[in-house]
Amino acid sequence: SLGVAAWFASGTTGQQLEISTVTSMPVWGTPPAVRAARNTSLGISSGTTVVNWNGEELDTDGMFSTVTDSSRITFMTQGIYLVGAELRLQGNVVGGVEILHNGTTLIAQSQAGNGNPQTYTAMTLLRASSGDYIIVRAFSGAASTIETGSHAWAIRQMFNP
């Protein structure tokens, strides 16, 4: 021991200790988090294509629906989120992934040269208000296929904005 006091708190699975915005007291809670997926491949043309997700692997706050606006992850709880996307493109093409806030503002991207297949990952921190959303776009220099196992995700960070 270095003589430094340390305190570690652990709740039940998936919980974190937060400060209540109502009482200003510590409370255990499950952070808003989501992970949407492509469970089937998706053919895309040259240029940019908004990705519609057809699977949900995690959603603790009602942030995603495979029925309504399946291209969006919508933030129900205000906060600072780590957002990301990973796309795997088939075909020897130049391509990449873009994440857009509210459908218009580019907040993260990744691109690379030829490869077969290529995996593109982009992520960033985003201060989101309730009702804000992100979409993911694939871009490709030629017709390609988004493979199964591609994902988009968001998780609110442990600190309040």
Side-chain angles (χ1 to χ4, degrees), residues 15-30 156 160:
Q15 289 190 324
Q16 66 187 23
L17 192 59
E18 298 183 336
I19 302 299
S20 168
T21 57
V22 176
T23 65
S24 298
M25 299 296 294
V27 294
W28 290 106
T30 301
R156 195 181 78 198
N160 288 323

Side-chain angles (χ1 to χ4, degrees), residues 1-56:
S1 171
L2 299 173
V4 177
W7 182 75
F8 180 80
S10 60
T12 58
T13 302
Q15 289 190 324
Q16 66 187 23
L17 192 59
E18 298 183 336
I19 302 299
S20 168
T21 57
V22 176
T23 65
S24 298
M25 299 296 294
V27 294
W28 290 106
T30 301
V34 65
R35 182 173 160 117
R38 276 296 315 169
N39 293 329
T40 58
S41 60
L42 175 67
I44 61 172
S45 302
S46 177
T48 59
T49 302
V50 173
V51 179
N52 288 306
W53 308 101
N54 62 357
E56 178 182 274

Side-chain angles (χ1 to χ4, degrees), residues 48-69:
T48 59
T49 302
V50 173
V51 179
N52 288 306
W53 308 101
N54 62 357
E56 178 182 274
E57 297 176 354
L58 170 72
D59 191 353
T60 65
D61 200 29
M63 299 166 66
F64 176 73
S65 169
T66 58
V67 177
T68 305
D69 292 326

